[in-house]
Each structure stands twice: as C-alpha cells, then as structure tokens.
Amino acid sequence: MVSLPLYTDGHPWAPRNFRSDRKVGVKMKVESVVQLLPEDCGLQHSIVRLHNSNIDSKRLDRGRFFRREAVVICNSKNGSRVLRYAMGTPGGISITKRAVALDYDAVDVLGVKFKTDVDLEIRRASTFEIYQWFWNHPDLGIRLSTRLGVMGGVLGVMGFLVGLTPFLHL
C-alpha cells in the first residue's frame, strides 16, 4: 500500500497558492437591510449590494465575496432563503459593513423589513443551489429555459447511450 505525502505550507512540492488553513466558504452576518436603488431592482438584475470592503473584484481573496458571484441569503428565524448576485456599492446608497441593500422581492421572501434589526446570513451558493434556484425561478422564461436545457442534456446522453448499443457485444 502506497501512501501519498501530505504537503504543508512552505513545502517545495506543495501546489502553488496552497494554504492549509484556507476557509471553504465565506459567511457574513447581516444586521440591517437598506432599500436597493430602483435601477438595480427587479428579477432581471437579482443583485445584493454589499459594502465594498466585503467584495473582492479581482477574485484573489477567498475571505471576501467575489463580484457577480452567486450568494445565498438565509433568514435563520423562519428558514427562508433567496439567491442573489453579490455587487459592491457604487456610492448612491450608504451601506455599513454589516448591512446589505436588497430589493423588495428579496425582503418579502425573507420576511424582514427595511431599516430594522435583522438576523440574516450570506454565504456562497453551491452549484446545486444555483440549479435548484433556477429550476424554481419566479420568472417563467428563465424557469422554462432551465428545464428545457436539463431535459435536452438528459435526452442527449440517452441518445448517445442508445447509439453505443450496436458496438457493445453483450
């Protein structure tokens, strides 16, 4: 039995940018919610604005959220959650480090109110959560295109397998 060596920080053969203390995901506690500007609202945008110190636009620091990254906002009191894309603050609204700017639809789903104390958590969305969100998206066009795409992929795999049957000697 051969065992593979475990490389630690500073080892010459460790992969580049290897850190053994790397966090798997970022979580942020939210204490207040501000109203998003009207030009950022709507299902076509689906964004959440965070303080610029919580956003890494160059995608280097995994301790912060990346710009245009899918995040899940969870309300621990009632279990509701919503998926939005993380963005920084352009300067039109004032957001503190523990506050976020959300549209009315997200606030309604989460069951919170603007400018009150809330207990929300923001974290990176997994690939499964992204597909699940778009499978049940409120917009009919997005929901239908997601379902047709998945169905097309499944039918394509089935067609490929049926095409392989003449070459298999069973």
Side-chain angles (χ1 to χ4, degrees):
M1 178 122 202
V2 176
S3 65
L4 297 174
L6 178 63
Y7 301 121
T8 58
D9 297 343
H11 192 277
W13 291 351
R16 189 191 302 181
N17 299 331
F18 178 79
R19 287 190 350 235
S20 59
D21 61 341
R22 181 175 291 172
K23 295 180 182 177
V24 175
V26 179
K27 289 186 180 180
M28 177 182 140
K29 293 287 184 187
V30 177
E31 296 172 355
S32 66
V33 176
V34 230
Q35 190 167 5
L36 200 58
L37 295 175
E39 58 265 16
D40 291 336
C41 294
L43 289 175
Q44 68 274 17
H45 296 294
S46 295
I47 66 171
V48 57
R49 293 244 182 232
L50 304 172
H51 190 270
N52 286 334
S53 66
N54 296 323
I55 296 289
D56 179 23
S57 61
K58 296 187 177 166
R59 295 183 176 260
L60 298 174
D61 183 10
R62 295 210 35 99
R64 297 188 292 170
F65 294 106
F66 299 146
R67 192 168 182 254
R68 293 192 176 111
E69 176 183 32
V71 295
V72 175
I73 306 167
C74 304
N75 187 349
S76 59
K77 291 184 180 176
N78 61 10
S80 61
R81 59 189 183 141
V82 67
L83 186 130
R84 291 290 187 259
Y85 296 102
M87 297 289 283
T89 307
I93 49 178
S94 176
I95 299 176
T96 62
K97 290 185 180 183
R98 294 287 177 200
V100 295
L102 289 171
D103 59 344
Y104 175 78
D105 294 329
V107 168
D108 186 42
V109 169
L110 292 170
V112 296
K113 294 182 180 180
F114 292 117
K115 297 182 182 177
T116 60
D117 290 336
V118 296
D119 184 24
L120 301 176
E121 181 181 89
I122 299 179
R123 60 178 172 77
R124 286 192 169 98
S126 68
T127 305
F128 178 74
E129 287 173 324
I130 295 169
Y131 282 116
Q132 183 181 18
W133 175 259
F134 284 111
W135 186 267
N136 299 314
H137 198 275
D139 187 13
L140 178 64
I142 294 173
R143 186 173 59 230
L144 183 63
S145 64
T146 303
R147 292 179 181 189
L148 287 174
V150 169
M151 187 185 320
V154 169
L155 290 174
V157 169
M158 288 174 52
F160 176 74
L161 294 176
V162 168
L164 284 179
T165 55
F167 301 108
L168 298 175
H169 300 287
L170 298 177

